[in-house]
Amino acid sequence: MSELPALPITFRPGRTRAVLLTAGLAIFVVITTVAILLEQLSSGERLSFVFTGALLFGVLLLLARPKVVADESGVTVVNIASKRRLDWAEIIQVNLRPGDPWVFLNLSDGTSLPALGIQPGIAKQRAIADARTLRALAEARSAARPEEDQG
């Protein structure tokens, strides 16, 4: 197996994030420009246009938020509206099966946590490589733990 990357490391759907942020900014600019150019609008109506553009940009910003951060002590999974910190020992398995929209982490409490920071949407090969790296890190960290506890 190849050498593990230095920690901390952050996994993000880079291309998806770039598309979402670019689209959000473009939508905001277009709606704001329309509000300015339409002379028959009152100032309240213009403000509502700008607010709507900002709201749409905010939604796309939330969709661009997901990431997975691995460090020495564990993993932080940031999804659209939630954030969860996991110790390495809590991660039993890292899964990205064909057709999965993102990585799923099988946890020691019997649950599964979606990790939207690694998703094969636009950059499938990148997501596969990231999932393999996270899996290797989880396996290496869980294998190292029992030795540390005994010594």
Side-chain angles (χ1 to χ4, degrees):
M1 185 170 88
S2 63
E3 195 172 308
L4 295 175
L7 295 178
I9 184 170
T10 300
F11 303 101
R12 283 182 191 250
R15 288 183 186 166
T16 301
R17 182 176 163 85
V19 167
L20 289 169
L21 294 176
T22 302
L25 185 60
I27 289 168
F28 178 74
V29 168
V30 167
I31 290 176
T32 300
T33 302
V34 167
I36 292 168
L37 294 177
L38 289 176
E39 295 174 9
Q40 70 270 25
L41 295 180
S42 69
S43 59
E45 290 169 327
R46 288 176 204 262
L47 188 60
S48 70
F49 267 66
V50 173
F51 177 75
T52 300
L55 187 64
L56 291 171
F57 180 70
V59 168
L60 292 177
L61 193 61
L62 275 176
L63 291 174
R65 181 176 182 246
K67 65 181 176 179
V68 177
V69 180
D71 60 32
E72 294 295 334
S73 62
V75 174
T76 302
V77 177
V78 179
N79 287 332
I80 294 168
S82 66
K83 179 178 179 178
R84 183 163 174 196
R85 177 73 185 162
L86 301 166
D87 290 331
W88 285 111
E90 292 179 79
I91 302 171
I92 303 299
Q93 191 175 32
V94 177
N95 286 320
L96 180 60
R97 296 175 298 262
D100 279 352
W102 40 71
V103 161
F104 288 91
L105 304 177
N106 291 340
L107 306 178
S108 58
D109 66 2
T111 63
S112 181
L113 176 67
L116 280 65
I118 302 175
Q119 51 182 269
I122 296 175
K124 185 177 180 179
Q125 295 308 314
R126 175 86 242 157
I128 291 169
D130 287 350
R132 286 181 177 150
T133 299
L134 184 59
R135 181 180 301 129
L137 285 167
E139 289 171 358
R141 295 290 170 175
S142 64
R145 286 288 155 125
E147 295 168 11
E148 289 173 4
D149 292 342
Q150 293 171 358

